Amino acid sequence: MPIASRRTTMTTSTQAQTTFFNLHVEGVGYLNRVRTVDPKRAEAFLACDINALNGPADDVSYTRFDCRVSGQEAQKLVRKCQQAVDMKRKVLIGFKLGDLWTDTFVYKKGDRQGETGVSLKGRLLLVKWIKIDGDTVYQREAPASDNADTPAPQADHANATPSQEVPAPTQPNGYAAAQSGESAGSFETPAAASL
């Protein structure tokens, strides 16, 4: 008598797990060109430029990042600074960027008209602190996990008084001063308070 074989098929359902490697840039820089970008085929988004400080305190150089502002907290804080930026006040921030990439463009005017330039782009993920004209108006309360891998701001710039502060880059931000007479960009809460 032949033995009937029974074939059992087992299906294993496993979900593919994606691993990500994050590359972040952290630093101190001046906030410029806060604007809403409204592309033709995509949703409008908040953007800004950050002129990041690097090098020795007595000979600072700047690296410009063109940023899409990501996250609700970062968007709220950048929007609160927009009026101060438009009035050309010095808005210095501690920041964290991610998703860095480069983009090429052609200069349309000036000494470099017709030449190809490169723009550093990224997403503004986090605003750690904000100073307007040397006065601290916001300080993020860092979670315990942030303290281990996030260095404190450099004393030369983060704690600088207005007379010690490194001068902002001289290139204009492209916006006219708005509503003079109001306290542009000032925050209603004292320093070190969460917004």
Side-chain angles (χ1 to χ4, degrees):
M1 178 168 168
I3 299 176
S5 67
R6 182 178 227 176
R7 179 182 266 178
T8 304
T9 306
M10 294 181 63
T11 57
T12 306
S13 174
T14 58
Q15 295 179 355
Q17 292 183 354
T18 305
T19 302
F20 290 94
F21 296 98
N22 294 319
L23 174 62
H24 294 145
V25 171
E26 295 187 27
V28 174
Y30 288 99
L31 189 64
N32 289 298
R33 291 186 61 222
V34 177
R35 68 223 183 257
T36 299
V37 177
D38 194 7
K40 292 179 182 177
R41 294 191 175 106
E43 215 173 294
F45 61 90
L46 183 64
C48 66
D49 287 357
I50 297 175
N51 286 325
L53 285 69
N54 62 60
D58 60 351
D59 189 22
V60 172
S61 53
Y62 299 92
T63 301
R64 183 182 157 276
F65 293 97
D66 184 4
C67 303
R68 179 178 183 145
V69 184
S70 298
Q72 291 180 351
E73 182 183 0
Q75 288 177 14
K76 179 176 130 180
L77 292 169
V78 169
R79 280 195 174 98
K80 284 188 174 229
C81 293
Q82 184 168 4
Q83 188 178 13
V85 169
D86 290 349
M87 294 182 72
K88 302 193 189 308
R89 295 176 69 186
K90 292 181 184 178
V91 180
L92 187 67
I93 66 171
F95 64 86
K96 183 177 195 177
L97 304 178
D99 299 332
L100 300 173
W101 59 287
T102 59
D103 190 23
T104 58
F105 63 94
V106 176
Y107 287 97
K108 296 186 179 180
K109 56 185 175 181
D111 294 341
R112 299 183 66 186
Q113 183 174 357
E115 291 182 27
T116 300
V118 177
S119 177
L120 296 173
K121 300 202 176 244
R123 292 183 188 272
L124 176 58
L125 304 173
L126 184 67
V127 175
K128 297 179 180 183
W129 50 265
I130 302 169
K131 285 188 173 195
I132 297 178
D133 293 333
D135 295 324
T136 302
V137 295
Y138 172 77
Q139 178 70 48
R140 180 175 183 264
E141 291 181 25
S145 63
D146 277 2
N147 293 335
D149 61 17
T150 305
Q154 295 293 330
D156 293 39
H157 302 292
N159 299 319
T161 62
S163 62
Q164 298 170 323
E165 194 166 286
V166 175
T170 56
Q171 65 189 53
N173 69 8
Y175 287 90
Q179 302 170 335
S180 59
E182 293 185 17
S183 98
S186 61
F187 292 66
E188 63 277 0
T189 57
S194 294
L195 295 176

